[in-house]
Amino acid sequence: SQTIHQWPATLVQPVGSPLSLECTVEGTSNPNLYWYRQAAGRGLQLLFYSIGIDQISSEVPQNLSASRPQDRQFILSSKKLLLSDSGFYLCAWSAETDINEKLFFGSGTQLSVL
Amino acid sequence: AQKITQTQPGMFVQEKEAVTLDCTYDTSDPSYGLFWYKQPSSGEMIFLIYQGSYDQQNATEGRYSLNFQKARKSANLVISASQLGDSAMYFCAMREDHNTDKLIFGTGTRLQVFP
């Protein structure tokens, strides 16, 4: 069966520090991968999605970046965190890009930038 | 333009009663899929139910059903016989056929079930 792992679960970082959140999927190949951010009490904002290695689309301009060094690995990074980067980050995957394909989510990372 | 609109930031329902969570959407694509997810306080996102734009019947999954009104572009979630464990955030989402890479979410509705 497929599983998705996301870490760390919580992270407290000072403003200006770098960030690296990692997400891996097991039990499937060539998944579509996604990074979402959820601000406190808000909906999910799509940040990045990837349909293959080195194929990454960015949805919103920001100081975050994403990379997919391996088929089932998706990394969210920042060189210098801002206060506004605080939030709950969710990684997700789907098998295909059909309209009926649901997303499977990781357990999330609560990031607090102080 | 916002694609998914959930106008109820919060809803209350008594245990064992039914509740409807509203969702409207905007798309010019004739082919699309609509999803509902539940997010408990733990933060995980749990898939509940799916409705395709060409599906003739309203989707049902156990106590969850989707009241799909295509002409009105609404896809309301109905939870029957509410349980205390249903207390959570609920998100409506859409995937369009011309842009199937992305699943776009609404802002969510917080449901609280009281005894």
PDB file of all heavy atoms in Angstrom, chain B residues 90-104:
ATOM      1  N   TYR B  90     -14.038  21.198   7.444  1.00  0.00           N
ATOM      2  CA  TYR B  90     -14.440  20.500   6.226  1.00  0.00           C
ATOM      3  C   TYR B  90     -14.127  21.391   5.035  1.00  0.00           C
ATOM      4  O   TYR B  90     -14.513  22.555   5.000  1.00  0.00           O
ATOM      5  CB  TYR B  90     -15.921  20.145   6.266  1.00  0.00           C
ATOM      6  CG  TYR B  90     -16.222  19.034   7.241  1.00  0.00           C
ATOM      7  CD1 TYR B  90     -16.356  19.316   8.598  1.00  0.00           C
ATOM      8  CD2 TYR B  90     -16.343  17.720   6.813  1.00  0.00           C
ATOM      9  CE1 TYR B  90     -16.606  18.298   9.506  1.00  0.00           C
ATOM     10  CE2 TYR B  90     -16.603  16.697   7.714  1.00  0.00           C
ATOM     11  CZ  TYR B  90     -16.724  16.996   9.052  1.00  0.00           C
ATOM     12  OH  TYR B  90     -16.969  15.983   9.949  1.00  0.00           O
ATOM     13  N   PHE B  91     -13.447  20.791   4.055  1.00  0.00           N
ATOM     14  CA  PHE B  91     -13.028  21.546   2.872  1.00  0.00           C
ATOM     15  C   PHE B  91     -13.642  20.946   1.613  1.00  0.00           C
ATOM     16  O   PHE B  91     -13.632  19.727   1.422  1.00  0.00           O
ATOM     17  CB  PHE B  91     -11.504  21.521   2.728  1.00  0.00           C
ATOM     18  CG  PHE B  91     -10.781  22.283   3.797  1.00  0.00           C
ATOM     19  CD1 PHE B  91     -10.281  21.648   4.908  1.00  0.00           C
ATOM     20  CD2 PHE B  91     -10.601  23.663   3.682  1.00  0.00           C
ATOM     21  CE1 PHE B  91      -9.616  22.345   5.901  1.00  0.00           C
ATOM     22  CE2 PHE B  91      -9.927  24.368   4.676  1.00  0.00           C
ATOM     23  CZ  PHE B  91      -9.442  23.709   5.774  1.00  0.00           C
ATOM     24  N   CYS B  92     -14.132  21.831   0.781  1.00  0.00           N
ATOM     25  CA  CYS B  92     -14.605  21.472  -0.547  1.00  0.00           C
ATOM     26  C   CYS B  92     -13.464  21.757  -1.529  1.00  0.00           C
ATOM     27  O   CYS B  92     -12.704  22.726  -1.337  1.00  0.00           O
ATOM     28  CB  CYS B  92     -15.833  22.317  -0.872  1.00  0.00           C
ATOM     29  SG  CYS B  92     -16.596  22.012  -2.466  1.00  0.00           S
ATOM     30  N   ALA B  93     -13.319  20.941  -2.558  1.00  0.00           N
ATOM     31  CA  ALA B  93     -12.230  21.130  -3.515  1.00  0.00           C
ATOM     32  C   ALA B  93     -12.685  20.735  -4.913  1.00  0.00           C
ATOM     33  O   ALA B  93     -13.638  19.978  -5.084  1.00  0.00           O
ATOM     34  CB  ALA B  93     -11.015  20.311  -3.105  1.00  0.00           C
ATOM     35  N   MET B  94     -11.979  21.244  -5.911  1.00  0.00           N
ATOM     36  CA  MET B  94     -12.359  20.984  -7.307  1.00  0.00           C
ATOM     37  C   MET B  94     -11.121  20.750  -8.164  1.00  0.00           C
ATOM     38  O   MET B  94     -10.083  21.399  -7.981  1.00  0.00           O
ATOM     39  CB  MET B  94     -13.142  22.173  -7.876  1.00  0.00           C
ATOM     40  CG  MET B  94     -13.522  22.015  -9.348  1.00  0.00           C
ATOM     41  SD  MET B  94     -14.591  23.340  -9.927  1.00  0.00           S
ATOM     42  CE  MET B  94     -13.475  24.736  -9.857  1.00  0.00           C
ATOM     43  N   ARG B  95     -11.280  19.836  -9.097  1.00  0.00           N
ATOM     44  CA  ARG B  95     -10.245  19.607 -10.106  1.00  0.00           C
ATOM     45  C   ARG B  95     -10.919  19.733 -11.462  1.00  0.00           C
ATOM     46  O   ARG B  95     -11.905  19.063 -11.749  1.00  0.00           O
ATOM     47  CB  ARG B  95      -9.645  18.213  -9.946  1.00  0.00           C
ATOM     48  CG  ARG B  95      -8.330  17.997 -10.664  1.00  0.00           C
ATOM     49  CD  ARG B  95      -7.990  16.523 -10.735  1.00  0.00           C
ATOM     50  NE  ARG B  95      -7.464  15.982  -9.487  1.00  0.00           N
ATOM     51  CZ  ARG B  95      -6.175  15.930  -9.169  1.00  0.00           C
ATOM     52  NH1 ARG B  95      -5.293  16.426  -9.986  1.00  0.00           N
ATOM     53  NH2 ARG B  95      -5.778  15.377  -8.036  1.00  0.00           N
ATOM     54  N   GLU B  96     -10.395  20.614 -12.323  1.00  0.00           N
ATOM     55  CA  GLU B  96     -10.977  20.860 -13.641  1.00  0.00           C
ATOM     56  C   GLU B  96     -10.268  20.036 -14.707  1.00  0.00           C
ATOM     57  O   GLU B  96      -9.062  19.795 -14.608  1.00  0.00           O
ATOM     58  CB  GLU B  96     -10.866  22.346 -13.994  1.00  0.00           C
ATOM     59  CG  GLU B  96     -11.596  23.252 -13.016  1.00  0.00           C
ATOM     60  CD  GLU B  96     -11.243  24.719 -13.234  1.00  0.00           C
ATOM     61  OE1 GLU B  96     -10.073  25.075 -13.028  1.00  0.00           O
ATOM     62  OE2 GLU B  96     -12.146  25.492 -13.607  1.00  0.00           O
ATOM     63  N   ASP B  97     -11.020  19.639 -15.716  1.00  0.00           N
ATOM     64  CA  ASP B  97     -10.465  18.746 -16.727  1.00  0.00           C
ATOM     65  C   ASP B  97      -9.349  19.411 -17.533  1.00  0.00           C
ATOM     66  O   ASP B  97      -8.407  18.757 -17.947  1.00  0.00           O
ATOM     67  CB  ASP B  97     -11.575  18.283 -17.674  1.00  0.00           C
ATOM     68  CG  ASP B  97     -11.130  17.127 -18.550  1.00  0.00           C
ATOM     69  OD1 ASP B  97     -10.361  16.279 -18.059  1.00  0.00           O
ATOM     70  OD2 ASP B  97     -11.533  17.066 -19.717  1.00  0.00           O
ATOM     71  N   HIS B  98      -9.458  20.724 -17.744  1.00  0.00           N
ATOM     72  CA  HIS B  98      -8.436  21.392 -18.555  1.00  0.00           C
ATOM     73  C   HIS B  98      -7.186  21.702 -17.738  1.00  0.00           C
ATOM     74  O   HIS B  98      -6.198  22.175 -18.252  1.00  0.00           O
ATOM     75  CB  HIS B  98      -8.997  22.698 -19.136  1.00  0.00           C
ATOM     76  CG  HIS B  98      -9.033  23.829 -18.157  1.00  0.00           C
ATOM     77  ND1 HIS B  98     -10.050  23.998 -17.245  1.00  0.00           N
ATOM     78  CD2 HIS B  98      -8.164  24.844 -17.922  1.00  0.00           C
ATOM     79  CE1 HIS B  98      -9.810  25.072 -16.515  1.00  0.00           C
ATOM     80  NE2 HIS B  98      -8.677  25.601 -16.887  1.00  0.00           N
ATOM     81  N   ASN B  99      -7.253  21.417 -16.447  1.00  0.00           N
ATOM     82  CA  ASN B  99      -6.128  21.738 -15.560  1.00  0.00           C
ATOM     83  C   ASN B  99      -6.075  20.714 -14.449  1.00  0.00           C
ATOM     84  O   ASN B  99      -6.118  21.053 -13.259  1.00  0.00           O
ATOM     85  CB  ASN B  99      -6.320  23.147 -15.001  1.00  0.00           C
ATOM     86  CG  ASN B  99      -5.034  23.718 -14.431  1.00  0.00           C
ATOM     87  OD1 ASN B  99      -3.967  23.134 -14.566  1.00  0.00           O
ATOM     88  ND2 ASN B  99      -5.159  24.846 -13.759  1.00  0.00           N
ATOM     89  N   THR B 100      -5.971  19.457 -14.841  1.00  0.00           N
ATOM     90  CA  THR B 100      -6.139  18.374 -13.867  1.00  0.00           C
ATOM     91  C   THR B 100      -4.960  18.246 -12.913  1.00  0.00           C
ATOM     92  O   THR B 100      -5.019  17.459 -11.986  1.00  0.00           O
ATOM     93  CB  THR B 100      -6.336  17.031 -14.582  1.00  0.00           C
ATOM     94  OG1 THR B 100      -5.253  16.840 -15.502  1.00  0.00           O
ATOM     95  CG2 THR B 100      -7.657  16.990 -15.307  1.00  0.00           C
ATOM     96  N   ASP B 101      -3.900  19.024 -13.162  1.00  0.00           N
ATOM     97  CA  ASP B 101      -2.761  18.932 -12.247  1.00  0.00           C
ATOM     98  C   ASP B 101      -3.102  19.438 -10.852  1.00  0.00           C
ATOM     99  O   ASP B 101      -2.458  19.064  -9.886  1.00  0.00           O
ATOM    100  CB  ASP B 101      -1.579  19.753 -12.782  1.00  0.00           C
ATOM    101  CG  ASP B 101      -1.017  19.161 -14.061  1.00  0.00           C
ATOM    102  OD1 ASP B 101      -1.312  17.993 -14.339  1.00  0.00           O
ATOM    103  OD2 ASP B 101      -0.290  19.879 -14.758  1.00  0.00           O
ATOM    104  N   LYS B 102      -4.086  20.292 -10.759  1.00  0.00           N
ATOM    105  CA  LYS B 102      -4.296  21.002  -9.502  1.00  0.00           C
ATOM    106  C   LYS B 102      -5.637  20.674  -8.864  1.00  0.00           C
ATOM    107  O   LYS B 102      -6.653  20.573  -9.528  1.00  0.00           O
ATOM    108  CB  LYS B 102      -4.226  22.508  -9.739  1.00  0.00           C
ATOM    109  CG  LYS B 102      -2.885  22.967 -10.266  1.00  0.00           C
ATOM    110  CD  LYS B 102      -2.805  24.469 -10.325  1.00  0.00           C
ATOM    111  CE  LYS B 102      -3.646  25.053 -11.432  1.00  0.00           C
ATOM    112  NZ  LYS B 102      -3.426  26.508 -11.559  1.00  0.00           N
ATOM    113  N   LEU B 103      -5.622  20.570  -7.551  1.00  0.00           N
ATOM    114  CA  LEU B 103      -6.845  20.454  -6.764  1.00  0.00           C
ATOM    115  C   LEU B 103      -6.946  21.734  -5.950  1.00  0.00           C
ATOM    116  O   LEU B 103      -6.068  22.025  -5.136  1.00  0.00           O
ATOM    117  CB  LEU B 103      -6.780  19.233  -5.856  1.00  0.00           C
ATOM    118  CG  LEU B 103      -8.063  18.832  -5.132  1.00  0.00           C
ATOM    119  CD1 LEU B 103      -9.159  18.490  -6.120  1.00  0.00           C
ATOM    120  CD2 LEU B 103      -7.813  17.658  -4.196  1.00  0.00           C
ATOM    121  N   ILE B 104      -8.000  22.505  -6.211  1.00  0.00           N
ATOM    122  CA  ILE B 104      -8.164  23.813  -5.581  1.00  0.00           C
ATOM    123  C   ILE B 104      -9.167  23.698  -4.447  1.00  0.00           C
ATOM    124  O   ILE B 104     -10.259  23.154  -4.636  1.00  0.00           O
ATOM    125  CB  ILE B 104      -8.642  24.853  -6.611  1.00  0.00           C
ATOM    126  CG1 ILE B 104      -7.698  24.891  -7.812  1.00  0.00           C
ATOM    127  CG2 ILE B 104      -8.753  26.231  -5.967  1.00  0.00           C
ATOM    128  CD1 ILE B 104      -6.281  25.255  -7.468  1.00  0.00           C
TER     129      ILE B 104
END
